Amino acid sequence: MKIGLDIMGGDYAPKAAVLGAIEAHKTLAADQTLVLIGDKEVALTLLKENNYSADNFEFVHTTEVIGMGEHPTKAIMQKPDSSIAVGFRMLKEGSLQAFSSAGNTGAMLVGSMFSVKTIPGVIRPAMTAIVPKLKGGLGILLDVGANADCKPDVLLQFGVLGSLLAESIYNIPNPKVALMNIGEEEEKGNLLSLATYPLMRDTKLFNFVGNVEGRDLFSDSNDVVVCDGFTGNVILKLAETFYVITLKKQFKDEFFARFNYEQYGGSPILGINAPVVVGHGISNPEAIKNMVLLSKNMIETKLIEKIKQAFQ
């Protein structure tokens, strides 16, 4: 198994990425190799400074970097020797089994769709976020930004993708899938939710439990919450501030501590032909480590193969 890591992506790259790679390597098995993609000389210097042998990794040197604010499509096309472009090329060729980066999210989405491409039958890939539950455990929210505008059949597919992720990666049996809405009643909502509800109600593809409101997000009434990417991104950014506010207020609480993005590593892009994980732009070494481990889990659980079977 070879897992590719973009060491040039993120606000604190390459140092945070290399330090995270060191921590990830300590947990990997002997037959699991971490491939560091980016400026090799910088990586070697950081490894030497931290007394960690370069023999523990493979390296692919690149000469270009896609910045966080660059236009995704233009950057991928105009910077073929960037760490993101090279990572996707290796993933497409099969020399990597997974690829992760805390770099430009748009470039990661574009790279996914133009290199490894979407799984046949999947209309649009989705990005996910972890939602801590009040009584322990976690849930999944999708989409959280890949698709600002959606159609009903796309949301239906998000239910399938989220259910498979919950079951395969987080060991949630028969996940309860809900539709985010402004009310629990079937007749509530905008045109999108009104059209999506009957599709989900009548499907046998997952365990649909109806509409939920924003206040239900952290309850045990659901395991997977489906919404368009615009709504999901607003919810995600608001939820992320809970943890930041508790730190600023010096308020320690076990529940709000679980909003710390570092624990979850990143967001899988679901619906494409290979495991790809996008990390938070401010990822520190702990987040990078967990991003790599999530990539590993996606390979080991054969999540992509399960999604392909579901969409046959």
Side-chain angles (χ1 to χ4, degrees):
M1 178 192 301
K2 290 191 176 183
I3 302 169
L5 174 64
D6 168 20
I7 62 170
M8 309 307 291
D11 294 344
Y12 305 119
K15 185 175 182 178
V18 174
L19 294 181
I22 291 172
E23 295 307 310
H25 175 264
K26 294 176 182 177
T27 71
L28 297 178
D31 61 345
Q32 297 169 340
T33 302
L34 194 50
V35 182
L36 306 186
I37 305 169
D39 191 320
K40 182 178 179 179
E41 292 306 314
V42 171
L44 291 174
T45 298
L46 287 167
L47 289 170
K48 185 176 181 180
E49 288 175 355
N50 288 274
N51 297 313
Y52 210 75
S53 174
D55 294 337
N56 293 315
F57 306 96
E58 290 186 10
F59 300 87
V60 175
H61 181 68
T62 61
T63 60
E64 296 176 306
V65 178
I66 294 178
M68 300 296 277
E70 291 192 59
H71 187 281
T73 305
K74 289 182 180 178
I76 287 285
M77 298 294 291
Q78 295 173 0
K79 293 184 174 181
D81 199 44
S82 63
S83 48
I84 288 179
V86 171
F88 276 115
R89 189 157 61 244
M90 294 177 67
L91 190 63
K92 180 182 179 180
E93 294 168 352
S95 53
L96 295 176
Q97 282 68 61
F99 177 54
S100 58
S101 171
N104 187 306
T105 300
M108 290 295 288
L109 284 165
V110 170
S112 296
M113 297 184 69
F114 284 105
S115 60
V116 294
K117 303 185 183 305
T118 56
I119 291 169
V122 174
I123 302 169
R124 296 285 298 177
M127 292 183 65
T128 68
I130 295 300
V131 177
K133 297 295 184 175
L134 274 167
K135 295 182 180 179
L138 54 82
I140 294 165
L141 175 70
L142 77 165
D143 179 40
V144 293
N147 308 276
D149 296 296
C150 294
K151 293 182 179 181
D153 52 352
V154 173
L155 292 188
L156 178 70
Q157 290 194 350
F158 289 172
V160 177
L161 295 171
S163 182
L164 288 169
L165 178 68
E167 197 165 27
S168 299
I169 300 296
Y170 299 108
N171 301 312
I172 301 173
N174 195 28
K176 301 184 291 290
V177 180
L179 178 64
M180 179 57 68
N181 208 332
I182 59 172
E184 295 181 358
E185 298 84 356
E186 182 175 348
E187 63 274 10
K188 287 284 186 73
N190 57 12
L191 292 175
L192 176 60
S193 56
L194 287 170
T196 302
Y197 189 97
L199 295 180
M200 290 189 165
R201 178 195 61 205
D202 298 338
T203 190
K204 297 186 183 302
L205 297 172
F206 50 78
N207 176 22
F208 182 55
V209 295
N211 289 328
V212 291
E213 300 178 62
R215 63 185 176 188
D216 302 313
L217 188 63
F218 310 113
S219 75
D220 291 330
S221 67
N222 59 81
D223 300 305
V224 177
V225 174
V226 173
C227 59
D228 62 85
F230 183 92
T231 303
N233 194 264
V234 171
I235 294 173
L236 173 62
K237 296 296 173 58
L238 175 62
E240 286 180 342
T241 64
F242 294 163
Y243 176 66
V244 176
I245 289 171
T246 59
L247 291 180
K248 289 182 177 179
K249 293 290 186 179
Q250 297 182 335
F251 171 65
K252 292 186 178 182
D253 181 86
E254 184 274 334
F255 173 66
F256 288 110
R258 288 192 283 126
F259 280 83
N260 183 357
Y261 73 94
E262 299 170 11
Q263 302 174 48
Y264 311 113
S267 299
I269 301 178
L270 297 181
I272 57 174
N273 282 295
V276 173
V277 179
V278 182
H280 205 298
I282 58 172
S283 290
N284 60 14
E286 179 70 13
I288 296 293
K289 179 193 79 172
N290 288 324
M291 183 170 66
V292 171
L293 297 183
L294 176 56
S295 301
K296 177 180 75 77
N297 289 341
M298 290 177 71
I299 299 171
E300 291 179 332
T301 59
K302 302 185 185 301
L303 176 61
I304 305 303
E305 286 74 14
K306 292 174 183 176
I307 294 175
K308 288 179 179 178
Q309 291 175 6
F311 283 89
Q312 283 182 348

